[in-house]
Short mmCIF file of all heavy atoms in Angstrom, two decimals:
data_model
loop_
_atom_site.label_atom_id
_atom_site.label_comp_id
_atom_site.label_asym_id
_atom_site.label_seq_id
_atom_site.Cartn_x
_atom_site.Cartn_y
_atom_site.Cartn_z
N ILE A 27 -2.28 7.99 28.96
CA ILE A 27 -0.96 7.36 28.78
C ILE A 27 -1.13 5.94 28.22
O ILE A 27 -0.45 5.55 27.26
CB ILE A 27 -0.18 7.33 30.11
CG1 ILE A 27 0.24 8.76 30.49
CG2 ILE A 27 1.05 6.44 30.00
CD1 ILE A 27 0.81 8.88 31.89
N GLY A 28 -2.04 5.18 28.81
CA GLY A 28 -2.24 3.80 28.37
C GLY A 28 -2.72 3.70 26.93
O GLY A 28 -2.22 2.89 26.15
N PHE A 29 -3.67 4.54 26.57
CA PHE A 29 -4.19 4.47 25.20
C PHE A 29 -3.24 5.09 24.19
O PHE A 29 -3.29 4.74 23.01
CB PHE A 29 -5.58 5.08 25.13
CG PHE A 29 -6.67 4.12 25.53
CD1 PHE A 29 -7.09 4.05 26.84
CD2 PHE A 29 -7.23 3.26 24.60
CE1 PHE A 29 -8.06 3.15 27.22
CE2 PHE A 29 -8.20 2.36 24.97
CZ PHE A 29 -8.62 2.30 26.28
N TYR A 30 -2.35 6.00 24.61
CA TYR A 30 -1.33 6.49 23.70
C TYR A 30 -0.38 5.35 23.34
O TYR A 30 -0.01 5.16 22.18
CB TYR A 30 -0.54 7.65 24.29
CG TYR A 30 0.51 8.17 23.34
CD1 TYR A 30 0.14 9.01 22.29
CD2 TYR A 30 1.84 7.80 23.45
CE1 TYR A 30 1.09 9.46 21.39
CE2 TYR A 30 2.78 8.25 22.56
CZ TYR A 30 2.41 9.09 21.53
OH TYR A 30 3.35 9.54 20.64
N ILE A 31 0.01 4.57 24.36
CA ILE A 31 0.89 3.42 24.12
C ILE A 31 0.20 2.41 23.21
O ILE A 31 0.80 1.88 22.28
CB ILE A 31 1.33 2.79 25.46
CG1 ILE A 31 2.23 3.77 26.21
CG2 ILE A 31 2.03 1.46 25.24
CD1 ILE A 31 2.51 3.38 27.65
N LEU A 32 -1.08 2.13 23.48
CA LEU A 32 -1.84 1.21 22.63
C LEU A 32 -1.92 1.73 21.19
O LEU A 32 -1.73 0.97 20.23
CB LEU A 32 -3.24 1.01 23.19
CG LEU A 32 -4.16 0.10 22.39
CD1 LEU A 32 -3.65 -1.33 22.44
CD2 LEU A 32 -5.57 0.18 22.93
N GLY A 33 -2.18 3.02 21.01
CA GLY A 33 -2.23 3.61 19.68
C GLY A 33 -0.90 3.54 18.96
O GLY A 33 -0.83 3.33 17.75
N TYR A 34 0.20 3.71 19.72
CA TYR A 34 1.52 3.63 19.12
C TYR A 34 1.82 2.21 18.66
O TYR A 34 2.42 2.00 17.60
CB TYR A 34 2.58 4.11 20.12
CG TYR A 34 3.90 4.39 19.48
CD1 TYR A 34 4.08 5.54 18.71
CD2 TYR A 34 4.96 3.51 19.59
CE1 TYR A 34 5.29 5.81 18.10
CE2 TYR A 34 6.17 3.76 18.99
CZ TYR A 34 6.33 4.91 18.24
OH TYR A 34 7.53 5.16 17.62
N ILE A 35 1.37 1.21 19.43
CA ILE A 35 1.55 -0.19 19.02
C ILE A 35 0.75 -0.47 17.75
O ILE A 35 1.25 -1.12 16.83
CB ILE A 35 1.14 -1.14 20.17
CG1 ILE A 35 2.14 -1.01 21.33
CG2 ILE A 35 1.04 -2.58 19.69
CD1 ILE A 35 1.71 -1.70 22.60
N ILE A 36 -0.47 0.05 17.68
CA ILE A 36 -1.28 -0.11 16.48
C ILE A 36 -0.59 0.54 15.28
O ILE A 36 -0.55 -0.03 14.19
CB ILE A 36 -2.69 0.49 16.69
CG1 ILE A 36 -3.46 -0.34 17.71
CG2 ILE A 36 -3.46 0.57 15.38
CD1 ILE A 36 -4.75 0.30 18.18
N LYS A 37 -0.01 1.72 15.48
CA LYS A 37 0.71 2.42 14.42
C LYS A 37 1.89 1.60 13.92
O LYS A 37 2.11 1.47 12.71
CB LYS A 37 1.21 3.78 14.92
CG LYS A 37 2.04 4.55 13.93
CD LYS A 37 2.69 5.74 14.61
CE LYS A 37 3.60 6.50 13.71
NZ LYS A 37 4.65 5.76 13.09
N ILE A 38 2.65 1.00 14.83
CA ILE A 38 3.81 0.19 14.45
C ILE A 38 3.37 -1.02 13.63
O ILE A 38 3.98 -1.34 12.60
CB ILE A 38 4.60 -0.24 15.70
CG1 ILE A 38 5.29 0.97 16.32
CG2 ILE A 38 5.61 -1.32 15.37
CD1 ILE A 38 5.91 0.69 17.67
N VAL A 39 2.30 -1.69 14.07
CA VAL A 39 1.80 -2.86 13.34
C VAL A 39 1.34 -2.46 11.94
O VAL A 39 1.65 -3.14 10.95
CB VAL A 39 0.66 -3.54 14.13
CG1 VAL A 39 -0.04 -4.59 13.29
CG2 VAL A 39 1.21 -4.16 15.40
N LEU A 40 0.61 -1.34 11.83
CA LEU A 40 0.16 -0.89 10.51
C LEU A 40 1.33 -0.51 9.61
O LEU A 40 1.32 -0.82 8.41
CB LEU A 40 -0.80 0.30 10.66
CG LEU A 40 -2.19 -0.03 11.18
CD1 LEU A 40 -2.99 1.25 11.40
CD2 LEU A 40 -2.92 -0.93 10.22
N ASP A 41 2.34 0.17 10.18
CA ASP A 41 3.51 0.54 9.38
C ASP A 41 4.24 -0.69 8.86
O ASP A 41 4.66 -0.72 7.70
CB ASP A 41 4.47 1.40 10.21
CG ASP A 41 3.98 2.82 10.38
OD1 ASP A 41 3.09 3.25 9.60
OD2 ASP A 41 4.46 3.50 11.31
N MET A 42 4.39 -1.71 9.70
CA MET A 42 5.08 -2.92 9.26
C MET A 42 4.30 -3.60 8.14
O MET A 42 4.88 -4.05 7.15
CB MET A 42 5.26 -3.89 10.43
CG MET A 42 6.30 -3.45 11.41
SD MET A 42 6.73 -4.60 12.73
CE MET A 42 5.31 -5.60 12.97
N ASN A 43 2.98 -3.66 8.27
CA ASN A 43 2.17 -4.32 7.24
C ASN A 43 2.12 -3.51 5.96
O ASN A 43 2.10 -4.07 4.87
CB ASN A 43 0.77 -4.59 7.77
CG ASN A 43 0.75 -5.69 8.79
OD1 ASN A 43 1.57 -6.59 8.73
ND2 ASN A 43 -0.17 -5.62 9.72
N MET A 44 2.08 -2.18 6.05
CA MET A 44 2.07 -1.35 4.85
C MET A 44 3.39 -1.45 4.12
O MET A 44 3.41 -1.51 2.89
CB MET A 44 1.79 0.12 5.21
CG MET A 44 0.39 0.37 5.67
SD MET A 44 -0.77 -0.07 4.38
CE MET A 44 -2.26 -0.14 5.31
N ASN A 45 4.51 -1.47 4.83
CA ASN A 45 5.81 -1.62 4.19
C ASN A 45 5.92 -2.98 3.51
O ASN A 45 6.48 -3.11 2.43
CB ASN A 45 6.94 -1.46 5.20
CG ASN A 45 7.09 -0.02 5.65
OD1 ASN A 45 6.66 0.89 4.95
ND2 ASN A 45 7.67 0.17 6.81
N LYS A 46 5.36 -4.00 4.14
CA LYS A 46 5.38 -5.33 3.56
C LYS A 46 4.56 -5.37 2.27
O LYS A 46 4.98 -5.95 1.28
CB LYS A 46 4.82 -6.33 4.58
CG LYS A 46 4.91 -7.76 4.17
CD LYS A 46 4.39 -8.65 5.29
CE LYS A 46 4.36 -10.09 4.87
NZ LYS A 46 3.79 -10.94 5.92
N LEU A 47 3.40 -4.71 2.28
CA LEU A 47 2.56 -4.66 1.08
C LEU A 47 3.24 -3.86 -0.03
O LEU A 47 3.18 -4.24 -1.20
CB LEU A 47 1.21 -4.05 1.40
CG LEU A 47 0.22 -4.93 2.13
CD1 LEU A 47 -1.04 -4.13 2.45
CD2 LEU A 47 -0.14 -6.13 1.31
N ASP A 48 3.88 -2.74 0.32
CA ASP A 48 4.54 -1.92 -0.68
C ASP A 48 5.68 -2.68 -1.35
O ASP A 48 5.94 -2.51 -2.53
CB ASP A 48 5.08 -0.63 -0.05
CG ASP A 48 3.97 0.33 0.33
OD1 ASP A 48 2.84 0.16 -0.17
OD2 ASP A 48 4.23 1.24 1.14
N ASP A 49 6.39 -3.49 -0.60
CA ASP A 49 7.51 -4.25 -1.16
C ASP A 49 7.04 -5.37 -2.06
O ASP A 49 7.70 -5.72 -3.03
CB ASP A 49 8.38 -4.83 -0.04
CG ASP A 49 9.10 -3.74 0.74
OD1 ASP A 49 9.19 -2.61 0.22
OD2 ASP A 49 9.55 -4.03 1.87
N GLU A 50 5.90 -5.96 -1.76
CA GLU A 50 5.46 -7.14 -2.49
C GLU A 50 4.75 -6.83 -3.79
O GLU A 50 4.83 -7.58 -4.73
CB GLU A 50 4.54 -7.98 -1.60
CG GLU A 50 5.26 -8.63 -0.44
CD GLU A 50 4.32 -9.43 0.44
OE1 GLU A 50 3.11 -9.46 0.15
OE2 GLU A 50 4.80 -10.00 1.42
N ILE A 51 4.03 -5.74 -3.87
CA ILE A 51 3.22 -5.44 -5.05
C ILE A 51 4.05 -4.69 -6.08
O ILE A 51 4.65 -3.67 -5.79
CB ILE A 51 1.98 -4.60 -4.67
CG1 ILE A 51 1.08 -5.41 -3.74
CG2 ILE A 51 1.22 -4.17 -5.91
CD1 ILE A 51 -0.10 -4.65 -3.22
N THR A 52 4.09 -5.22 -7.28
CA THR A 52 4.80 -4.56 -8.38
C THR A 52 3.82 -4.34 -9.52
O THR A 52 2.68 -4.81 -9.49
CB THR A 52 5.97 -5.44 -8.86
OG1 THR A 52 5.45 -6.66 -9.36
CG2 THR A 52 6.97 -5.71 -7.75
N ALA A 53 4.28 -3.65 -10.55
CA ALA A 53 3.43 -3.39 -11.71
C ALA A 53 3.07 -4.70 -12.42
O ALA A 53 1.97 -4.85 -12.94
CB ALA A 53 4.12 -2.43 -12.67
N ASP A 54 4.00 -5.63 -12.44
CA ASP A 54 3.71 -6.93 -13.07
C ASP A 54 2.62 -7.68 -12.32
O ASP A 54 1.81 -8.38 -12.93
CB ASP A 54 4.98 -7.78 -13.13
CG ASP A 54 6.02 -7.20 -14.08
OD1 ASP A 54 5.60 -6.49 -15.02
OD2 ASP A 54 7.22 -7.45 -13.87
N ASP A 55 2.59 -7.53 -11.00
CA ASP A 55 1.55 -8.19 -10.21
C ASP A 55 0.16 -7.65 -10.57
O ASP A 55 -0.83 -8.37 -10.47
CB ASP A 55 1.78 -7.98 -8.71
CG ASP A 55 3.05 -8.66 -8.23
OD1 ASP A 55 3.48 -9.63 -8.90
OD2 ASP A 55 3.59 -8.23 -7.21
N LEU A 56 0.11 -6.39 -10.95
CA LEU A 56 -1.17 -5.77 -11.30
C LEU A 56 -1.54 -6.00 -12.76
O LEU A 56 -2.61 -5.59 -13.20
CB LEU A 56 -1.12 -4.28 -11.01
CG LEU A 56 -0.90 -3.90 -9.54
CD1 LEU A 56 -0.74 -2.41 -9.41
CD2 LEU A 56 -2.04 -4.41 -8.68
N GLY A 57 -0.68 -6.65 -13.54
CA GLY A 57 -0.99 -6.96 -14.92
C GLY A 57 -0.54 -5.91 -15.91
O GLY A 57 -0.95 -5.94 -17.07
N PHE A 58 0.32 -4.99 -15.49
CA PHE A 58 0.81 -3.96 -16.41
C PHE A 58 2.15 -4.40 -17.01
O PHE A 58 2.93 -5.08 -16.38
CB PHE A 58 1.01 -2.63 -15.68
CG PHE A 58 -0.25 -2.02 -15.17
CD1 PHE A 58 -0.50 -1.95 -13.80
CD2 PHE A 58 -1.19 -1.52 -16.04
CE1 PHE A 58 -1.66 -1.40 -13.33
CE2 PHE A 58 -2.35 -0.95 -15.57
CZ PHE A 58 -2.59 -0.89 -14.21
N LYS A 59 2.38 -3.96 -18.23
CA LYS A 59 3.66 -4.18 -18.87
C LYS A 59 4.33 -2.83 -19.02
O LYS A 59 3.71 -1.80 -18.81
CB LYS A 59 3.46 -4.83 -20.25
CG LYS A 59 2.81 -6.18 -20.19
CD LYS A 59 2.55 -6.71 -21.58
CE LYS A 59 1.76 -7.99 -21.50
NZ LYS A 59 1.31 -8.43 -22.82
N ASP A 60 5.57 -2.82 -19.40
CA ASP A 60 6.27 -1.56 -19.60
C ASP A 60 5.58 -0.74 -20.68
O ASP A 60 5.25 -1.25 -21.74
CB ASP A 60 7.73 -1.80 -20.00
CG ASP A 60 8.55 -2.31 -18.83
OD1 ASP A 60 8.14 -2.07 -17.68
OD2 ASP A 60 9.60 -2.93 -19.08
N GLY A 61 5.36 0.52 -20.40
CA GLY A 61 4.77 1.41 -21.39
C GLY A 61 3.26 1.47 -21.35
O GLY A 61 2.65 2.18 -22.13
N GLU A 62 2.61 0.75 -20.48
CA GLU A 62 1.16 0.78 -20.38
C GLU A 62 0.74 1.62 -19.18
O GLU A 62 1.30 1.51 -18.10
CB GLU A 62 0.58 -0.63 -20.21
CG GLU A 62 0.79 -1.52 -21.39
CD GLU A 62 0.23 -2.90 -21.13
OE1 GLU A 62 -0.05 -3.23 -19.97
OE2 GLU A 62 0.06 -3.63 -22.11
N ILE A 63 -0.26 2.46 -19.39
CA ILE A 63 -0.81 3.24 -18.29
C ILE A 63 -2.33 3.21 -18.38
O ILE A 63 -2.89 2.89 -19.43
CB ILE A 63 -0.33 4.72 -18.33
CG1 ILE A 63 -0.70 5.38 -19.65
CG2 ILE A 63 1.16 4.81 -18.07
CD1 ILE A 63 -0.41 6.86 -19.70
N LEU A 64 -2.99 3.51 -17.29
CA LEU A 64 -4.45 3.61 -17.28
C LEU A 64 -4.84 5.06 -17.22
O LEU A 64 -4.29 5.83 -16.45
CB LEU A 64 -5.05 2.87 -16.07
CG LEU A 64 -4.97 1.36 -16.10
CD1 LEU A 64 -5.54 0.81 -14.81
CD2 LEU A 64 -5.74 0.81 -17.27
N GLU A 65 -5.82 5.44 -18.02
CA GLU A 65 -6.35 6.80 -17.91
C GLU A 65 -7.20 6.86 -16.66
O GLU A 65 -7.81 5.88 -16.24
CB GLU A 65 -7.18 7.15 -19.14
CG GLU A 65 -6.36 7.33 -20.38
CD GLU A 65 -7.20 7.77 -21.56
OE1 GLU A 65 -8.42 7.96 -21.39
OE2 GLU A 65 -6.63 7.92 -22.64
N ASP A 66 -7.30 8.06 -16.07
CA ASP A 66 -8.00 8.20 -14.79
C ASP A 66 -9.48 7.89 -14.88
O ASP A 66 -10.01 7.11 -14.12
CB ASP A 66 -7.80 9.62 -14.25
CG ASP A 66 -6.38 9.84 -13.77
OD1 ASP A 66 -5.69 8.84 -13.51
OD2 ASP A 66 -5.97 11.00 -13.67
N MET A 67 -10.20 8.52 -15.79
CA MET A 67 -11.65 8.41 -15.80
C MET A 67 -12.16 7.19 -16.56
O MET A 67 -13.04 6.49 -16.10
CB MET A 67 -12.28 9.67 -16.41
CG MET A 67 -12.06 10.89 -15.57
SD MET A 67 -12.77 10.62 -13.96
CE MET A 67 -12.93 12.25 -13.38
N ASP A 68 -11.59 6.94 -17.71
CA ASP A 68 -12.13 5.88 -18.56
C ASP A 68 -11.61 4.50 -18.19
O ASP A 68 -12.22 3.49 -18.53
CB ASP A 68 -11.80 6.16 -20.03
CG ASP A 68 -12.43 7.44 -20.53
OD1 ASP A 68 -13.51 7.82 -20.01
OD2 ASP A 68 -11.84 8.05 -21.43
N MET A 69 -10.48 4.45 -17.50
CA MET A 69 -9.85 3.20 -17.10
C MET A 69 -9.59 2.29 -18.30
O MET A 69 -9.74 1.09 -18.23
CB MET A 69 -10.70 2.48 -16.05
CG MET A 69 -10.89 3.25 -14.77
SD MET A 69 -9.36 3.66 -13.94
CE MET A 69 -8.95 2.08 -13.25
N GLU A 70 -9.23 2.91 -19.42
CA GLU A 70 -8.88 2.14 -20.60
C GLU A 70 -7.37 2.01 -20.68
O GLU A 70 -6.63 2.90 -20.30
CB GLU A 70 -9.39 2.84 -21.86
CG GLU A 70 -10.90 2.94 -21.95
CD GLU A 70 -11.34 3.74 -23.16
OE1 GLU A 70 -10.50 4.09 -23.99
OE2 GLU A 70 -12.54 4.01 -23.25
N LEU A 71 -6.92 0.91 -21.18
CA LEU A 71 -5.50 0.67 -21.33
C LEU A 71 -4.98 1.48 -22.50
O LEU A 71 -5.53 1.44 -23.60
CB LEU A 71 -5.26 -0.83 -21.56
CG LEU A 71 -3.85 -1.31 -21.44
CD1 LEU A 71 -3.31 -1.01 -20.06
CD2 LEU A 71 -3.79 -2.80 -21.70
#
């Protein structure tokens, strides 16, 4: 019971931080412009 509660608290903290990261990072932050994509293997623009 105690470690389930601890694990649930860890889950809540991770979810809050992941949502915060998802909201903050945009394509412009990564250096992409509209219409640009990276190929999977070659990683060429």
Side-chain angles (χ1 to χ4, degrees):
I27 291 170
F29 276 91
Y30 181 78
I31 293 169
L32 179 67
Y34 195 75
I35 292 170
I36 292 170
K37 176 191 176 304
I38 290 171
V39 169
L40 287 175
D41 285 342
M42 287 187 333
N43 288 330
M44 290 299 164
N45 289 338
K46 186 177 175 183
L47 284 176
D48 289 343
D49 293 342
E50 291 179 0
I51 297 175
T52 62
D54 292 333
D55 295 336
L56 298 175
F58 295 111
K59 298 176 187 171
D60 288 337
E62 294 179 344
I63 58 173
L64 289 177
E65 290 184 2
D66 289 339
M67 294 300 200
D68 297 331
M69 299 301 285
E70 295 176 7
L71 193 59

